[in-house]
Amino acid sequence: IALPAALMVFGYYIFRGMDVMTTHDIQSVEWIKVLPYLVVLGTAIAGMNVALVLILGIATTGVIGLLTGSISLFDWLGSMGTGITGMGELIIITLMAGGMLELIRFNGGVDYIIQKLTKQRGAELGIAALVSIANFCTANNTIAIITVGPLANDIATRYRVDKRKSASILDTFSCVIQGIIPYGAQMLIAAKLASLSPLSIIEYLYYPVAIGVFALLSIFLRYPKRYS
């Protein structure tokens, strides 16, 4: 879904960049330090279990860091501890979101949503709308996906939407909304670093808008055909 949008925006920036005359010194790249990213990307594309992908990524990072002298053993362990601690708030919110979803399901909210979706494209648009609304309310695309994910799975099963298409819709529309809301964490950080109002940045958000447009087109035009 995102590939046509990415190519369009990439071409736009290349065209605009032709007018930039400033040159920058390119630092040398230590390619061995790129290996953990390649390991994570390759194993994820191969369809390996998410937990194994993360474990391999962490292990590869640690080993290469130790071999190159970039980090010590205690730095590596400390970084893992910091990462685990940083997930604490997310775990709490996830538990709350799970409980809220079960309350919705218990009171018939899931069945009501599914009954309102009468055709496949309506189901796909419904998944997109649900994750978008959740992201508007939480300003966190991860929480939005976790909250709406079980609903999207029920909808996809009922209306025979390909699970890969359903997951793509969840991910794409949550990122689109996260990219354009002025109160999202990313927008607030960017605005603070640039000493600007978040609202003044919105008109330049070509990439998330382009992704959203192409994502909607993929639903209405049933693209790709094999998954629609």
Side-chain angles (χ1 to χ4, degrees):
I1 293 174
L3 182 58
L7 290 175
M8 185 182 74
V9 176
F10 178 73
Y12 172 81
Y13 281 113
I14 289 294
F15 177 76
R16 289 293 300 271
M18 293 173 64
D19 297 330
V20 178
M21 303 302 294
T22 305
T23 58
H24 298 277
D25 294 331
I26 299 176
Q27 299 179 352
S28 60
V29 178
E30 296 183 63
W31 292 105
I32 191 172
K33 294 183 179 180
V34 182
L35 184 59
Y37 297 95
L38 297 179
V39 169
V40 171
L41 181 61
T43 51
I45 292 176
M48 186 177 291
N49 182 275
V50 175
L52 291 177
V53 172
L54 296 176
I55 291 172
L56 284 174
I58 293 172
T60 307
T61 301
V63 171
I64 291 177
L66 293 173
L67 291 176
T68 58
S70 301
I71 57 173
S72 66
L73 177 61
F74 292 105
D75 290 333
W76 181 31
L77 296 176
S79 296
M80 286 191 286
T82 302
I84 294 172
T85 304
M87 293 293 291
E89 293 181 359
L90 181 61
I91 293 172
I92 295 173
I93 295 175
T94 301
L95 292 173
M96 294 177 63
M100 181 178 65
L101 179 62
E102 284 305 312
L103 285 175
I104 295 172
R105 193 190 305 275
F106 180 78
N107 288 284
V110 174
D111 291 333
Y112 175 80
I113 293 171
I114 293 177
Q115 288 173 3
K116 291 297 181 180
L117 303 174
T118 57
K119 55 185 179 180
Q120 188 178 47
R121 274 181 289 183
E124 294 177 357
L125 287 173
I127 294 171
L130 286 172
V131 75
S132 297
I133 293 171
N135 207 112
F136 269 121
C137 295
T138 62
N140 188 307
N141 53 337
T142 302
I143 299 301
I145 292 174
I146 292 173
T147 304
V148 178
L151 292 174
N153 184 59
D154 290 342
I155 294 171
T157 300
R158 178 73 64 89
Y159 290 96
R160 298 180 180 179
V161 177
D162 190 284
K163 295 299 179 67
R164 290 164 291 188
K165 184 71 174 290
S166 173
S168 177
I169 291 172
L170 275 176
D171 189 30
T172 302
F173 281 92
S174 66
C175 291
V176 168
I177 300 303
Q178 186 68 22
I180 63 176
I181 54 177
Y183 49 88
Q186 296 85 347
M187 182 75 80
L188 293 175
I189 292 173
K192 182 178 180 180
L193 292 173
S195 299
L196 296 171
S197 166
L199 296 176
S200 66
I201 304 175
I202 293 179
E203 61 180 305
Y204 299 101
L205 299 176
Y206 311 113
Y207 185 61
V209 172
I211 290 179
V213 170
F214 278 94
L216 288 173
L217 288 176
S218 74
I219 293 176
F220 287 115
L221 301 179
R222 302 177 66 84
Y223 177 84
K225 298 292 185 182
R226 60 184 298 186
Y227 300 133
S228 300

